[in-house]
Amino acid sequence: MGYSLIGYLKNLPLAYYLKGGFTQMRGPTISLFLSSQQSAALVCRGHRAQGFELQIANLPDAPPVIGMDSGIAAASRSFSQKLLTRTRARGVPRFIFVPDLAASDLYCNVHSVANLRELSIENLLESLNEDPRQVFGSWDESRKFRWEVFDSQLERVRGAFEKRFQEVIIVGIPADYCEQLEIWTEAQRATLLGIIPLSLACLKWFCSSIPIGRKTAFLLLMCSHAVLLAVVQNQKIILFREYTDDMAFVCHEIPLLASELRSDEYETYVWASHPVGEDIAVALTGTELTGEVLRQINGQAVVVRKSDGTKLELNSPIPHLLLWLENSVV
Amino acid sequence: MRYLFVSPEKVSQDQYRHAPIFRLAGVVLLIGLVLQVPLLFLGVLSWKQFQDRNAEQTSLRIELGELHKADIPLRETRQKLSQIRQWEPILNNRIPISSLLNAIQVSIPQNAVLDTISIEAEQFDHLPVLGGTYRVPRDYRVVLQGLERSGQGDGSQAFSDALQMRNLPGNG
């Protein structure tokens, strides 16, 4: 991102400064998990959780959730003001959105650099922004997407490919949804720190938090709309697939993939945004990343203080993911 | 992961609002703007003064023009007046010959007869007048010659006393 004095003077936030923006300190961070089935907000200050709220999408003036009609409800106080009051936090909030996107709203794939015509990330992003068919060949989506390119460890990369990377991960989400979130954040007079799709956040958390050593890890992400399977080797993502079939099919796929990848030793991990039903749990083999497992991985439970002053320990995947995300983004 | 999928405009807006370097730049800019207020005030005052002076100068110039117009017909008169003033010392130093002759005639006693009278001018001053210089005599000498009948008193003394009583110019 290039900044210049002229750019600054052109976009001088004079109104913000005159309203006392100079003296405003960094406010609390609100990480929002947004799904059509479930939504949650974690309010943090100084990397510590202050409050956790569920089903925030049903509140008036709630942030837009993709695939859900956002009913316009008149509210005397804004959504963020209400949320901050509930968690006894103050200041200008900073939002991190973690949307759970359907298969049609998320493009995420591992691409071999050798198969790409572009010579640099900038060229690749330019081609994607112009017309994704220049990169993928088949792309029938008419909506405009915003694109990002990562390396195998999900670090954003820039510059020429040369021999730095063998594979890159291309991720795209609908631009209109991003704009909706930006407009909503602006209306809340808040700051937007990032829109991080759930699968991307989970994969990054997994690669950063769980040392798998030389083994191959199969990570099953059970989202609201689909099951995503990522294969991780040496903390690097080498394969990413999306399944809309039932869990039994996906579980059957893992050994086949392991043999294709010639991985004798492999571990399967399951991360689910919602509690896994018994019928699915029977079919699953591997470690479910929830409860005590998460507490051990992250070192401690997510502790929030309730309105009556008592402490509440949370060990479900969403608060843990949102807290980790807040710590890594802010 | 920071600013992922956020438009560059929003990212720059956030940076311009919250980044310390841009906040500092904002403070400097605002202080600079505040400092402009007295300068602006002084500028406005100076401009107003300049405008007032301009208006005053214009009115004076108009007045001067009117005076110049009024002066044109007086210029000839002034010139004539100065020419007349050049004649002032000439006229002041003139001798009234007719009154002198009259005084002499009246003052001659009964027993005397005037034979000749001569008036001579001496020590001339050159006074400039239009068209050249004018020689103005500073002193006059009057010489009278006559005959007196003897035995009838001092005729010359009586003539001198009578002449002095006439109060001729230059007698002081």
Side-chain angles (χ1 to χ4, degrees), chain A residues 1 3 7-8 12 14 16-17 21-22 24 26 146 148 150 156 173 182 186 191 193 195 200 204, chain B residues 1-8 10-18 22-23 25-27 29-30 33:
Chain A
M1 188 79 204
Y3 298 104
Y8 173 63
L12 184 71
L14 192 62
Y16 174 79
Y17 288 159
F22 282 127
Q24 270 176 3
R26 290 281 190 194
R146 284 188 188 175
E148 288 287 352
F150 302 89
R156 260 197 285 187
I173 61 172
E182 284 176 356
E186 192 66 37
T191 303
L193 289 181
I195 304 164
L200 204 65
K204 183 71 182 165
Chain B
M1 288 278 180
R2 191 162 187 153
Y3 298 129
L4 194 66
F5 291 114
V6 180
S7 63
K10 291 285 166 194
V11 176
S12 57
Q13 189 188 53
D14 183 46
Q15 287 295 309
Y16 291 150
R17 282 181 176 182
H18 300 116
F22 290 117
R23 275 192 182 203
V27 169
L29 209 70
L30 279 190
L33 281 176

Side-chain angles (χ1 to χ4, degrees), chain A residues 30-151:
Chain A
I30 304 177
S31 308
L32 295 165
F33 167 67
L34 301 171
S35 160
S36 55
Q37 293 172 8
Q38 191 189 353
S39 56
L42 182 76
V43 182
C44 295
R45 185 181 269 283
H47 300 312
R48 292 181 67 180
Q50 269 196 300
F52 183 73
E53 293 279 334
L54 278 167
Q55 299 307 331
I56 48 102
N58 301 329
L59 293 173
D61 190 31
V65 179
I66 201 159
M68 260 177 83
D69 289 332
S70 55
I72 298 164
S76 55
R77 284 184 304 161
S78 70
F79 170 85
S80 49
Q81 276 177 331
K82 257 183 239 176
L83 206 61
L84 292 181
T85 309
R86 283 185 190 185
T87 52
R88 296 175 302 283
R90 279 188 300 178
V92 178
R94 294 178 293 167
F95 284 105
I96 301 169
F97 294 102
V98 187
D100 184 1
L101 301 168
S104 58
D105 297 320
L106 175 73
Y107 180 87
C108 182
N109 216 343
V110 182
H111 288 259
S112 172
V113 170
N115 295 335
L116 295 171
R117 281 179 298 181
E118 288 76 11
L119 298 172
S120 70
I121 306 290
E122 285 75 20
N123 288 350
L124 179 61
L125 284 170
E126 202 179 317
S127 299
L128 287 166
N129 287 322
E130 272 176 16
D131 187 358
R133 273 175 289 199
Q134 295 179 89
V135 181
F136 310 137
S138 60
W139 178 260
D140 52 4
E141 185 60 64
S142 59
R143 288 177 298 173
K144 197 104 180 127
F145 270 52
R146 284 188 188 175
W147 300 97
E148 288 287 352
V149 181
F150 302 89
D151 64 7

Side-chain angles (χ1 to χ4, degrees), chain A residues 191-307:
Chain A
T191 303
L192 180 55
L193 289 181
I195 304 164
I196 305 161
L198 177 66
S199 48
L200 204 65
C202 283
L203 284 171
K204 183 71 182 165
W205 167 78
F206 184 83
C207 291
S208 310
S209 306
I210 302 175
I212 52 167
R214 289 184 176 182
K215 288 181 185 174
T216 300
F218 288 86
L219 174 65
L220 275 170
L221 299 176
M222 295 176 66
C223 303
S224 305
H225 308 285
V227 177
L228 309 169
L229 176 66
V231 183
V232 183
Q233 273 181 345
N234 299 321
Q235 310 301 130
K236 289 180 182 175
I237 297 156
I238 58 162
L239 191 76
F240 191 82
R241 280 186 185 172
E242 194 165 358
Y243 296 92
T244 47
D245 307 292
D246 60 355
M247 276 303 292
F249 176 80
V250 180
C251 292
H252 181 68
E253 280 276 287
I254 292 171
L256 296 175
L257 273 172
S259 67
E260 265 180 48
L261 295 166
R262 292 172 189 166
S263 301
D264 299 328
E265 282 188 280
Y266 67 87
E267 292 278 349
T268 307
Y269 297 91
V270 181
W271 188 97
S273 59
H274 48 277
V276 180
E278 262 188 45
D279 51 331
I280 298 170
V282 170
L284 281 173
T285 53
T287 311
E288 191 183 352
L289 299 169
T290 185
E292 187 59 25
V293 178
L294 278 180
R295 200 185 68 79
Q296 284 181 5
I297 290 168
N298 291 329
Q300 57 184 2
V302 178
V303 181
V304 292
R305 204 175 277 273
K306 291 203 291 190
S307 55

